Amino acid sequence: MIQRDSLIQYCDEVLNAAAWRDYAPNGLQVEGRAQIQRLVTGVTASAALIEAAIAWGADALLVHHGYFWKNEHPVLTGMKYRRIKQLIQNDINLIAYHLPLDDHPIYGNNAALAEALGLTDIQRFGSQQLAWAGALPAPCTVAQLHAVLTKQLARAPLVVGDTDRLIQRVGVCSGGAQDYLTDAAALGLDAYISGEISERSTHIAREEGMAYFAAGHHATERAGVQRLGAHLAERFGIEVRYIDIDNPV
Ligand SMILES: [Zn+2]
């Protein structure tokens, strides 16, 4: 059992949360009970995840995608009202970390991606230095990297680029970071991997002579919250359960 405020203070410090210019507030977003023994982790605080947290008797929900995004209509109605009502009625804390959890060198989504690919000689690039670039252990073809990503993320990426093309230096950034393709091209990378794809991404990749892998927003952001959750379980002796709410995007 840990005090909610102590847990959040610890996460804020470990993730250096105050340092980020983010699109949503990091830390405690909806207040629930003061003590936490059961913590559910997940990618997005959807109604399905809240239901699963209630069923397990969770005291808190720790997610990558919480609420109150910049430019969102600031009223509690409809879907947003129903989600928050469920949290409050069940006295469950909602804790969210967005960019700090993409970036963190150990618990971050991008660190997990770089590790899954065995990248070395890491350099950072893109807005707020969020994206990671590095060298694969050995040159491989687009088809081979596709197979590695499919195995590591349990999901086949959508790929732009000739399957026989050889690649060695690649960039990675989880989620909806497809527009760092241009930054990746400026670095002279052979390939870039993110979660989502836009129509323009195809043309950028082709015209910059790069391969692009859209490996799934959800699929590339499952790791960070699980890594942080495992650390919190060990450090504070609380029960932590990751619940995956499947998402094809
Ligand atoms: Zn995301």
Side-chain angles (χ1 to χ4, degrees):
M1 187 90 74
I2 181 172
Q3 291 290 328
R4 173 197 61 230
D5 294 347
S6 307
L7 182 74
I8 288 162
Q9 192 185 354
Y10 178 79
C11 290
D12 281 350
E13 280 169 20
V14 165
L15 298 173
N16 197 17
W20 291 89
R21 277 178 283 120
D22 212 329
Y23 312 99
N26 286 304
L28 184 63
Q29 292 193 338
V30 178
E31 188 172 311
R33 57 188 71 117
Q35 297 205 316
I36 294 171
Q37 173 57 29
R38 287 194 162 191
L39 175 71
V40 161
T41 62
V43 177
T44 300
S46 61
L49 185 63
I50 295 167
E51 285 299 329
I54 293 168
W56 189 50
D59 304 306
L61 194 50
L62 171 67
V63 296
H64 184 51
H65 301 140
Y67 305 151
F68 314 117
W69 297 90
K70 208 174 263 182
N71 301 326
E72 176 179 294
H73 193 39
V75 295
L76 287 183
T77 56
M79 183 184 84
K80 189 157 69 164
Y81 166 71
R82 292 191 299 271
R83 288 171 168 186
I84 291 173
K85 180 182 172 190
Q86 278 290 69
L87 287 169
I88 291 175
Q89 279 185 339
N90 290 279
D91 211 12
I92 296 177
N93 296 282
L94 176 65
I95 306 165
Y97 290 98
H98 184 234
L99 297 184
L101 202 48
D102 286 317
D103 171 77
H104 195 274
I106 298 166
Y107 310 121
N109 291 318
N110 293 336
L113 272 173
E115 211 175 286
L117 298 175
L119 298 187
T120 55
D121 188 22
I122 300 287
Q123 78 185 101
R124 304 290 201 97
F125 70 101
S127 165
Q128 298 193 70
Q129 301 288 299
L130 260 178
W132 294 42
L136 293 167
C140 72
T141 63
V142 166
Q144 285 167 331
L145 185 55
H146 187 269
V148 169
L149 283 166
T150 301
K151 183 162 175 273
Q152 290 287 345
L153 298 174
R155 180 189 190 279
L158 191 158
V159 61
V160 178
D162 297 336
T163 51
D164 296 337
R165 182 200 297 251
L166 266 186
I167 47 188
Q168 179 144 34
R169 271 195 82 74
V170 305
V172 299
C173 196
S174 69
Q178 60 268 49
D179 286 335
Y180 291 177
L181 245 176
T182 309
D183 303 84
L187 277 184
L189 302 178
D190 306 313
Y192 177 61
I193 300 158
S194 186
E196 297 190 30
I197 187 164
S198 300
E199 190 271 349
R200 60 185 171 275
S201 316
T202 303
H203 303 292
I204 297 169
R206 283 178 184 159
E207 290 174 38
E208 297 287 5
M210 297 176 68
Y212 179 59
F213 297 81
H217 191 137
H218 177 82
T220 56
E221 297 196 330
R222 286 179 301 212
V225 83
Q226 291 186 70
R227 286 178 166 219
L228 181 61
H231 171 68
L232 296 174
E234 197 188 323
R235 171 128 189 153
F236 298 112
I238 57 174
E239 297 169 69
V240 177
R241 181 183 282 188
Y242 171 75
I243 297 178
D244 198 68
I245 305 296
D246 189 38
N247 185 334
V249 175

